[in-house]
Amino acid sequence: MNKWLVAALAAVMLPLSAMANNFQQGKHYEVIASQKSASPEVKKYFSFYCGGCYAFEPLAQSLARSLPEGTEFKPVHVDFIRAAAPEIQNALARAYISAKNLGKGDEMANAIFNQIHRNRVPFRSEADVRSLALINDIEADAFDRAMRSFAVRGAVGQMAKEQEELSNSRVLTGVPMLVVNGKYKILNDGLNQRNMQKELQELVEFLLAKD
């Protein structure tokens, strides 16, 4: 009985181990740092003004929901796509972080992406950003406090710092970009486009477990 149990388990595990062994440095990921982050994390670098990021967002949100317990998903907005003034992009980043802290991050991200890419309505002021948040059932006073808070402003400032550092090191050359544990950059072009969601999830799990 034990022999058959071992054989059955081996048959189940073989496809998973074979898939993991097929992930190759230089094709599916590259090493960008010598040390891993102190705790497990996946960072998504993106811009609300990036059409590819708009298309990728459902995959990103699905990935965030599927991460192992204890792994943090950290979106990082970049502003090098000059489709809007820096102050508008800063307001959008603060609005997204504010909504995320209030439990409405995905809803706010979807609303911003849709306004820019589907509805083709530009944001002309921070008031436009605030109006979108309120339309999407984010409580006004809580949102206003978050937008002004040092925590949110500090988080957006950290995003800008990371963007500058990774751009200067030629790690950040385009978006969307995923980085696992601060060490492994996923190479999107190496993923199977017809089965991207499943392969991306498996690759992230593989890299989270990698030294």
Side-chain angles (χ1 to χ4, degrees), residues 3-187:
K3 179 175 69 176
W4 289 109
L5 179 59
V6 170
L9 288 173
V12 170
M13 293 302 293
L14 180 59
L16 294 177
S17 60
M19 177 66 74
N21 289 336
N22 282 335
F23 291 132
Q24 301 170 18
Q25 182 176 335
K27 178 181 179 182
H28 298 99
Y29 67 93
E30 64 183 22
V31 179
I32 62 171
S34 58
Q35 299 291 325
K36 293 169 53 174
S37 54
S39 56
E41 65 177 32
V42 177
K43 285 190 176 181
K44 177 193 71 172
Y45 295 85
F46 77 105
S47 168
F48 285 119
Y49 288 92
C50 160
C53 300
Y54 173 53
F56 184 72
E57 186 64 11
L59 290 179
Q61 293 184 13
S62 176
L63 175 65
R65 291 190 294 268
S66 71
L67 290 176
E69 185 176 355
T71 301
E72 187 174 0
F73 188 78
K74 298 180 177 180
V76 179
H77 187 265
V78 302
D79 65 359
F80 54 69
I81 297 177
R82 301 301 184 188
E87 58 269 22
I88 295 296
Q89 300 207 45
N90 180 274
L92 290 174
R94 284 188 289 117
Y96 173 62
I97 296 299
S98 297
K100 186 172 181 287
N101 291 346
L102 294 170
K104 294 274 193 175
D106 287 351
E107 292 87 345
M108 190 64 185
N110 292 339
I112 294 171
F113 272 125
N114 287 337
Q115 176 151 327
I116 294 171
H117 297 280
R118 189 172 69 187
N119 301 333
R120 306 283 184 177
V121 177
F123 292 98
R124 302 190 184 281
S125 67
E126 188 168 320
D128 289 347
V129 180
R130 182 180 186 272
S131 295
L132 185 67
L134 271 54
I135 289 170
N136 284 273
D137 298 324
I138 298 176
E139 201 273 323
D141 288 343
F143 180 78
D144 291 341
R145 285 194 300 271
M147 287 285 283
R148 294 191 300 266
S149 71
F150 288 112
V152 168
R153 291 182 180 277
V156 173
Q158 180 61 31
M159 289 179 180
K161 181 181 178 182
E162 288 188 33
Q163 173 184 324
E164 182 178 9
E165 290 174 351
L166 293 178
S167 295
N168 289 341
S169 63
R170 301 301 297 165
V171 170
L172 179 59
T173 57
V175 286
M177 182 181 83
L178 294 176
V179 174
V180 178
N181 284 349
K183 184 174 180 178
Y184 302 107
K185 172 184 172 180
I186 289 179
L187 302 177

